[in-house]
Amino acid sequence: MLSVETITAGYGAITVLRDVSLTVGANEGVAVIGPNGAGKSTLVRALCGLNPVRSGRIVKDNREIHGLPAHRRTAAGIGVVLENRRLFGELTVRTNLDLAAREGDKRGSAGRRFSLDSILALFPFIEQRLDAPVELLSGGEQQMVAIGRALLLQPDLLVLDEPSTGLAPKIVKSLVGIIARIRGEGVSVLLIEQNVQLASEAADRAYVMKLGRVVDEIGPENWRGAVKDESLTRAYLGA
Ligand SMILES: Nc1ncnc2c1ncn2[C@@H]1O[C@H](COP(=O)(O)OP(=O)(O)OP(=O)(O)O)[C@@H](O)[C@H]1O
Ligand SMILES: [Mg+2]
């Protein structure tokens, strides 16, 4: 469903991503791990249209999308939770979710998987906070609203940039179940994550990024035991 083919991207004169290639299949959960500065968030920004791709291709459902602006990538089924969450802080939780739901409705009923009720089922705390301005929520609560908002865009590919950041350990554990439920709705997940434990439980296989390149690809058989693998931990820690 998604194929990233030897893309190069960066900022101004700086090249960050060099010949990055990866795939995500239908219903698949794929993790991207790597040390700080590896280019993981730059990859996310290149996927969702916030950073131009300088060479290479991004193909989704057999269609080239790397030339499309961000909103048309949303329409192509890519939902993204960015590192900084990017919610409208002064608006209420309800309004943030409604705006996304309206955008998601444009995809038509065929792709409709998530409603406000299904988001409340995934994140029950949201119900009590629907009328609060988002900026009054804790960082972890905002993270959950950001995931809910991305789902209301009715993606068939959800890209999560380090969703566990700022979440309490108990909630990090619940993310495994939440991602499983999202995948159960037929949504593929590309999970950028430094928490290898979470990533190995929530994704089927992984790519390791370093210095703007994919330096390793870990298949399903090795990925399940990844947390116990020291060489992998070294790669993840950047040693
Ligand atoms: N707006 C920007 N302008 C210039 N350089 C940037 C910008 N954003 C990121 N970079 C550089 O791109 C490189 C990759 O950054 P990126 O945020 O993609 O890494 P990351 O793997 O997501 O790291 P982290 O784990 O800390 O989130 C870094 O060297 C960073 O300094
Ligand atoms: Mg990052």
Side-chain angles (χ1 to χ4, degrees):
M1 71 130 46
L2 179 79
S3 167
V4 174
E5 299 169 8
T6 58
I7 62 165
T8 301
Y11 305 90
I14 306 166
T15 300
V16 175
L17 299 183
R18 293 169 193 272
D19 294 334
V20 168
S21 297
L22 57 84
T23 61
V24 183
N27 280 308
E28 212 183 11
V30 176
V32 176
I33 61 170
N36 295 125
K40 305 181 299 295
S41 297
T42 305
L43 169 65
V44 170
R45 295 171 58 86
L47 280 176
C48 68
L50 293 173
N51 247 49
V53 167
R54 292 174 182 171
S55 63
R57 306 197 308 155
I58 302 176
V59 179
K60 175 146 189 306
D61 304 323
N62 301 317
R63 174 170 163 227
E64 280 192 356
I65 60 159
H66 54 269
L68 299 179
H71 70 275
R72 292 193 51 201
R73 307 228 197 158
T74 306
I78 301 183
V80 179
V81 179
L82 293 169
E83 216 168 18
N84 57 12
R85 303 186 185 107
R86 287 230 182 172
L87 294 162
F88 299 106
E90 287 158 32
L91 304 182
T92 64
V93 171
R94 190 191 298 276
T95 307
N96 271 273
L97 294 176
D98 279 350
L99 288 171
R102 245 179 274 168
E103 200 57 40
D105 281 346
K106 290 186 196 155
R107 292 204 69 207
S109 55
R112 202 151 197 282
R113 297 178 165 92
F114 299 97
S115 61
L116 182 58
D117 281 346
S118 58
I119 300 309
L120 296 178
L122 277 178
F123 305 109
F125 93 94
I126 291 181
E127 185 144 29
Q128 283 94 56
R129 308 304 300 275
L130 275 174
D131 296 308
V134 159
E135 62 197 3
L136 296 188
L137 268 55
S138 77
E141 290 171 341
Q142 289 187 29
Q143 184 69 278
M144 292 181 254
V145 174
I147 297 173
R149 184 184 60 166
L151 291 175
L152 287 170
L153 296 169
Q154 312 299 344
D156 54 17
L157 171 66
L158 179 67
V159 182
L160 298 168
D161 194 351
E162 304 208 33
S164 72
T165 305
L167 298 183
K170 198 176 138 198
I171 310 212
V172 171
K173 278 200 191 128
S174 72
L175 268 182
V176 174
I178 288 166
I179 292 171
R181 284 165 74 181
I182 292 168
R183 291 183 57 192
E185 296 295 326
V187 176
S188 302
V189 172
L190 183 64
L191 174 65
I192 317 297
E193 197 39 80
Q194 309 241 12
N195 182 329
V196 177
Q197 169 123 33
L198 163 64
S200 68
E201 287 174 28
D204 306 317
R205 60 187 181 88
Y207 295 91
V208 182
M209 279 187 75
K210 247 184 193 180
L211 298 174
R213 294 180 189 275
V214 171
V215 295
D216 208 356
E217 206 179 319
I218 306 166
E221 16 352 286
N222 296 326
W223 182 236
R224 264 177 226 110
V227 179
K228 297 177 207 100
D229 182 339
E230 267 183 42
S231 60
L232 184 68
T233 312
R234 273 203 302 280
Y236 145 68
L237 290 171

